[in-house]
Amino acid sequence: MAEESSSGQGVQSVVRALGLLRVLARSDEGARVSDIAREVGLAVSTTHRLLTTLETQGFAQFEADTSLWFVGREAFAVGSAYGKRRSFVAPALPFLRRLRDATRETANLGILDHDTLVTVSQVESREIMRAISPPGGRVPVFCSGMGKAILATWSEKDVVALAERVGFSPLTTKSIRNTDQLLHDLERTRARGFAVDDEEHVTGLRCVAAVVWSPQGEAAGAISVSGLAARLTEAKVETVGATVIQAAEGLTAKLGGMSDPL
């Protein structure tokens, strides 16, 4: 009986937490805990406890200056996953194909998932020697061009928090190894409009990436071109970067996205 009671309480807490998420999702300008409690029919103390739990998991965000609660980044990531294949991957394919044809290198589409970069779609280069990271593959975010393109849209506070949470997992001698290096790299990414994985994931491979924006003004993912460093040379990076940005902007427009740079 005790186990059944505990299980029932757990289910009730989940149901209540989901109810709070629905309220936060409708509150574009934020909501006070007292107003949220009133709407869901819970005590303020219970509501605050559940919101704090959601905040620790990234599903809710509290702004101390205004005492307002907002839906968190993780809620967006989870919620957008439902329509990702219909509204994100399929429209991206024409852009990936054109990007592959324009650069003769492999074109990729990636998202940030559970603090790692995941390739969700790819159009392979027709070259015999080519870069391939099969869809579904995960890469430490700080070793990824697409990962860094996405992180460049974050605030410094959020980037530092991520670095403290996951640490650094260098894969080559060129991989980023500390927060100072990371922040400097992201500054360069913002300045030029695209990110570069300069043999940081795999020695001998280079990647150029740009962010794709969602209709909510957040990074929905990133598009990249990856190829052998001997072919995708440093001299070509600027030109390829401009082509990748154009593809990312085209997909952003197709999705009805809008940029919200820091």
Side-chain angles (χ1 to χ4, degrees):
M1 294 293 292
E3 288 184 359
E4 290 180 4
S5 177
S6 175
S7 176
Q9 292 175 358
V11 172
Q12 184 182 57
S13 294
V14 171
V15 172
R16 287 175 170 176
L18 291 174
L20 298 184
L21 278 177
R22 292 189 183 96
V23 173
L24 293 177
R26 295 194 298 267
S27 305
D28 294 339
E29 298 181 0
R32 296 184 180 277
V33 64
S34 57
D35 295 331
I36 298 172
R38 187 180 308 111
E39 185 166 347
V40 297
L42 294 175
V44 171
S45 59
T46 301
T47 302
H48 186 268
R49 174 174 56 80
L50 291 170
L51 286 171
T52 301
T53 300
L54 290 171
E55 183 183 28
T56 63
Q57 300 300 312
F59 285 89
Q61 180 180 347
F62 180 69
E63 288 192 359
D65 294 344
T66 59
S67 296
L68 295 175
W69 286 89
F70 297 84
V71 68
R73 183 183 297 275
E74 284 298 319
F76 169 76
V78 171
S80 63
Y82 174 78
K84 200 168 291 163
R85 289 187 176 178
R86 296 180 181 175
S87 63
F88 188 44
V89 174
L93 284 174
F95 295 94
L96 295 179
R97 293 190 186 104
R98 287 195 290 269
L99 190 56
R100 184 270 313 277
D101 294 341
T103 64
R104 301 184 63 83
E105 303 294 351
T106 298
N108 313 280
L109 178 70
I111 62 169
L112 201 60
D113 179 65
H114 291 94
D115 296 337
T116 58
L117 194 285
V118 181
T119 300
V120 294
S121 187
Q122 183 179 82
V123 176
E124 294 182 17
S125 168
R126 294 191 176 98
E127 300 291 333
I128 296 175
M129 298 294 291
R130 57 188 184 272
I132 300 176
S133 178
R138 291 179 177 271
V139 179
V141 66
F142 304 136
C143 300
S144 162
M146 289 191 289
K148 292 190 291 183
I150 294 170
L151 292 185
T153 70
W154 291 20
S155 69
E156 181 175 314
K157 177 182 176 182
D158 287 340
V159 171
V160 172
L162 176 63
E164 292 176 346
R165 184 166 66 251
V166 304
F168 294 88
S169 303
L171 298 178
T172 74
T173 58
K174 291 190 173 184
S175 298
I176 291 174
R177 283 170 159 74
N178 59 61
T179 303
D180 287 341
Q181 283 184 323
L182 173 62
L183 294 177
H184 177 66
D185 193 293
L186 296 181
E187 285 181 5
R188 294 181 64 197
T189 296
R190 295 184 188 107
R192 64 193 171 199
F194 60 87
V196 177
D197 158 15
D198 187 14
E199 302 184 68
E200 299 160 51
H201 175 210
V202 177
T203 300
L205 296 182
R206 188 169 282 126
C207 174
V208 180
V211 70
V212 175
W213 296 92
S214 75
Q216 292 76 27
E218 295 190 23
I223 277 182
S224 76
V225 161
S226 53
L228 300 182
R231 199 164 58 224
L232 184 52
T233 63
E234 292 184 7
K236 292 182 178 179
V237 165
E238 284 292 334
T239 301
V240 172
T243 304
V244 174
I245 288 174
Q246 185 177 33
E249 289 178 343
L251 180 54
T252 293
K254 183 74 172 180
L255 299 174
M258 56 183 180
S259 64
D260 185 22
L262 297 173

